[in-house]
Amino acid sequence: MNAALDVQGLTTRFDTRAGTVTAVNDVSFSVEPGRIMGLVGESGSGKSVTGFSILGLIEEPGRITDGRVLVEGTDLRAMPPGQLRSMRGRKVSMVFQDPMMTLNPVLRIGDQMSMAVRVHERMNKRQALARSRDALAKVGIPSPEERLSAYPHQLSGGMRQRVAIAIALLHRPAVIIADEPTTALDVSIQGQILAEVRRLADETRTAIVWVTHDLAVVSSLADDICVMYAGRIVERGTAEDVIARPRHPYTRGLLDSVPGQHAPGTHLPQIPGSTPQLSRLPSGCPFRNRCPRATEVCTTEPPVARFGGHTALCHHPLEAA
Amino acid sequence: MSPLLTVDRVSKRFPLKATLIDKLTAGLGNRRAGGTVHAVTDVTFEVARGEVLGMVGESGCGKSTLGRIVSGIYAPTEGTVRLDGEPVARGRDDHVDKLTTRVQMIHQDPFASLNPRMKVGETISEGPRIHRLVPASDVRARTRALLEQVGLEGAYADRFPHQFSGGQRQRIAIARALAMQPDLLVLDEAVASLDVSIQAQVLNLFLDLRRDLGLTALFISHDLSVVRHVCDRVAIMYLGRIVELSPAEQLYAAPKHPYTQALFASVPTLGTGRRAFRPIEGEIPSPIDPPPGCAFHPRCPFAGPRCRAEVPRLTASGPGRTVACHLNDGGVGLKEAA
Ligand SMILES: Nc1ncnc2c1ncn2[C@@H]1O[C@H](COP(=O)(O)OP(=O)(O)OP(=O)(O)O)[C@@H](O)[C@H]1O
Ligand SMILES: Nc1ncnc2c1ncn2[C@@H]1O[C@H](COP(=O)(O)OP(=O)(O)O)[C@@H](O)[C@H]1O
Ligand code: SF4
Ligand code: SF4
Ligand SMILES: [Mg+2]
Ligand SMILES: [Mg+2]
């Protein structure tokens, strides 16, 4: 099947006082219609910059220096700015951690949603409101007609995030990029949204990139997982493969440090050291000064190790458990 | 042995001052104007010396408010808090009482909780100096020892907070609290903002300190796996009240309160595969206008008429366990209760 989103060799750099840093380094992955790709990594690993780069939303002092972003086969990076703008919100849309980045606090939900509809499609206000109501119903908002006349502050945080997701869905996009959309929400509300998102992907065939630092969330939600470290995708595979049979030492370390799978009160396995600054990465494998498997050869660029469709960027990938 | 901490029928209510937005939207059904927030309602529990009690619940359920009451930062509206049988010195609201040194609080945000203009060593030694806990000549050595105890280099005393990562700052916050030689630590979401690999490091530090110093702690967190890992007993809160209190092992093996059961089922966990969670239906009600009877009844699959009329009391349910649910106390029907 054709990928809804195909990212190839995407590279984004920032000019900083400490020199030029590569925040997204040769990132490649693809997502088929109806599938959810979990993009996981710790803070600063480059998840958000990847999301913004896909949408072409990188501003000074940053720039995308390389790569292709194909949405249903069309390269967004080769498009003139006007055409790219018309793709955003229509073919590819984004959901942020803070729904107020999408919502206007002084407009009623119905007004802002119907405006968003009519940016890309000619229809009268009544039709646009009907489309908005349907989108709200789709994300599981009870009595959606009533919510159309509400202001954002009259809704709970979970409801606001649902509205933001509904707005992202308005034009039935091929791809949605969601950046930590449930991180600020309570577990019971997060659970509701995850269940709705799974159903939406199955029903609408939208391809979804779900950006998060939470391994448990992606293991329950995603079909496929990419693990990011220092701007690179260090491991990629089906959710089951990556969670149950990690091949990269970093993924293994991350999974092991999650409490809940170890006897209470015992020491948790921990990755030594802390996440490196991009301006001070070691040569070769960026994980090598924290890696228990590192050897001399790790001072050189690690190759892609392949296990069927499951890949790890590593000189000494783990054996299958 | 008498408990170190006794919290007895404590409630905290906040009167709400209406903002301009509230006044403008009062006609639209905004209930904030002139309302009261029932942040904590009728909470009773004890913590034994050397024990770590977990306090779990969703946002707004009153965990931090309870933590601040125990720390003497807020005075309770009703009820009493005692340490070794003596009432905790009360500060005025919104004013940290400098006299309360026996309880130390550690907060979620390691970026906001350290003074950016103060060297780390000064931050750690300030409390003990003001309260004359150590002779002036020993302050420097003691500060270095504390830094080493939390896994940092003693020489870091001369650096400023911005030179440290989130995990290191949280270690500094822990060192500052330990410097006061507290009887009780209150940790409010102390690892919530840390990345999972750093979180593991800080939890290991907490376990080490607990073993070496015999710490007593109130461990507030929304993360069920973290709480299970470090706590002896766990209290589950919902909308200002404790709904279940149990030794951790038994609680995780078999949660009894319908909310606890639903909460556990709604959390995605590692390795259980796709969709291995069942969300709780409905929204968290507002603490400004809590539902009558059992506050969980609008979302509870077992709710009956009694649940809408009568607040369930915490009653015993097995050794060391209490549950506040009518199912555990005569049933949910009105007739059965009569
Ligand atoms: N100073 C205050 N004035 C008015 N309302 C307050 C005040 N402090 C807390 N509240 C309210 O009391 C309730 C309980 O708040 P609290 O901060 O204790 O919740 P929490 O359980 O710690 O939540 P979280 O998990 O989000 O930290 C909330 O509805 C909150 O808005
Ligand atoms: N505007 C910017 N200028 C310089 N560096 C930036 C900028 N935005 C992001 N970065 C850097 O890019 C890296 C990746 O950031 P980000 O994608 O936000 O991480 P994540 O979302 O994984 O937490 C970080 O090191 C961050 O400091
Ligand atoms: S390449 Fe070497 S240092 Fe990097 S993860 Fe693999 S074994 Fe570790
Ligand atoms: S008291 Fe009633 S509504 Fe509350 S948890 Fe028990 S059964 Fe459910
Ligand atoms: Mg981010
Ligand atoms: Mg809190």
Side-chain angles (χ1 to χ4, degrees), chain A residues 124-147:
Chain A
N124 65 34
K125 176 120 187 218
R126 169 124 37 91
Q127 291 167 316
L129 281 171
R131 166 85 72 90
S132 308
R133 182 205 53 219
D134 293 347
L136 292 177
K138 230 185 254 170
V139 295
I141 292 188
S143 36
E145 337 17 57
E146 290 170 31
R147 306 292 177 168

Side-chain angles (χ1 to χ4, degrees), chain A residues 261-303:
Chain A
Q261 16 166 18
H262 308 280
T266 57
H267 256 216
L268 295 166
Q270 61 183 48
I271 301 176
S274 55
T275 353
Q277 281 173 12
L278 288 178
S279 55
R280 279 192 257 146
L281 287 184
S283 61
C285 175
F287 187 55
R288 75 177 157 84
N289 46 12
R290 305 174 73 191
C291 179
R293 294 170 78 84
T295 62
E296 193 56 42
V297 70
C298 301
T299 56
T300 63
E301 283 294 322

Side-chain angles (χ1 to χ4, degrees), chain A residues 93-229:
Chain A
S93 40
M94 189 142 181
V95 178
F96 302 95
Q97 173 167 343
D98 179 1
M100 293 315 285
M101 281 182 69
T102 307
L103 299 177
N104 185 330
V106 301
L107 292 181
R108 292 177 197 271
I109 301 295
D111 289 333
Q112 43 190 313
M113 288 186 80
S114 51
M115 269 162 56
V117 172
R118 296 207 285 173
V119 168
H120 294 298
E121 279 178 63
R122 291 171 75 97
M123 59 171 79
N124 65 34
K125 176 120 187 218
R126 169 124 37 91
Q127 291 167 316
L129 281 171
R131 166 85 72 90
S132 308
R133 182 205 53 219
D134 293 347
L136 292 177
K138 230 185 254 170
V139 295
I141 292 188
S143 36
E145 337 17 57
E146 290 170 31
R147 306 292 177 168
L148 288 173
S149 56
Y151 288 93
H153 73 87
Q154 292 174 289
L155 306 178
S156 67
M159 279 299 158
R160 271 182 232 151
Q161 194 54 284
R162 281 168 202 254
V163 173
I165 296 172
I167 290 177
L169 281 170
L170 279 174
H171 297 281
R172 305 179 185 95
V175 181
I176 291 183
I177 314 235
D179 191 355
E180 307 259 11
T182 59
T183 301
L185 301 177
D186 275 311
V187 281
S188 74
I189 307 303
Q190 164 173 285
Q192 294 169 353
I193 290 184
L194 297 182
E196 298 290 352
V197 165
R198 185 66 253 180
R199 195 179 47 73
L200 284 172
D202 295 343
E203 283 174 11
T204 64
R205 313 294 296 153
T206 308
I208 297 175
V209 179
W210 195 264
V211 174
T212 178
H213 66 281
D214 191 326
L215 290 158
V217 163
V218 283
S219 82
S220 318
L221 174 75
D223 301 294
D224 304 288
I225 291 178
C226 287
V227 181
M228 278 195 95
Y229 185 81

Side-chain angles (χ1 to χ4, degrees), chain A residues 42-43 153-154 156 159 186-188 191-192 194-195 198 202 215-216 219-220 222-223 243 254-255 257-268 270-271 273 290, chain B residues 21 25 28 30 58-59 195-201 203-204 207-208 225-226 228-229 263 266-271 273-277 279-284 299:
Chain A
E42 299 186 277
S43 58
H153 73 87
Q154 292 174 289
S156 67
M159 279 299 158
D186 275 311
V187 281
S188 74
Q192 294 169 353
L194 297 182
R198 185 66 253 180
D202 295 343
L215 290 158
S219 82
S220 318
D223 301 294
I243 300 288
L254 264 191
L255 286 166
S257 56
V258 176
Q261 16 166 18
H262 308 280
T266 57
H267 256 216
L268 295 166
Q270 61 183 48
I271 301 176
R290 305 174 73 191
Chain B
I21 293 258
T25 56
L28 298 168
N30 184 344
E58 297 182 83
S59 180
D195 272 320
V196 46
S197 71
I198 308 304
Q199 174 181 291
Q201 296 173 357
L203 289 176
N204 285 343
L207 291 169
D208 290 342
S225 327
V226 168
R228 171 179 212 169
H229 198 74
L263 185 67
S266 72
V267 179
T269 48
L270 261 190
R274 246 172 74 171
R275 280 176 261 194
F277 58 91
I280 313 183
E281 311 236 318
E283 289 202 58
I284 303 166
R299 308 171 81 186

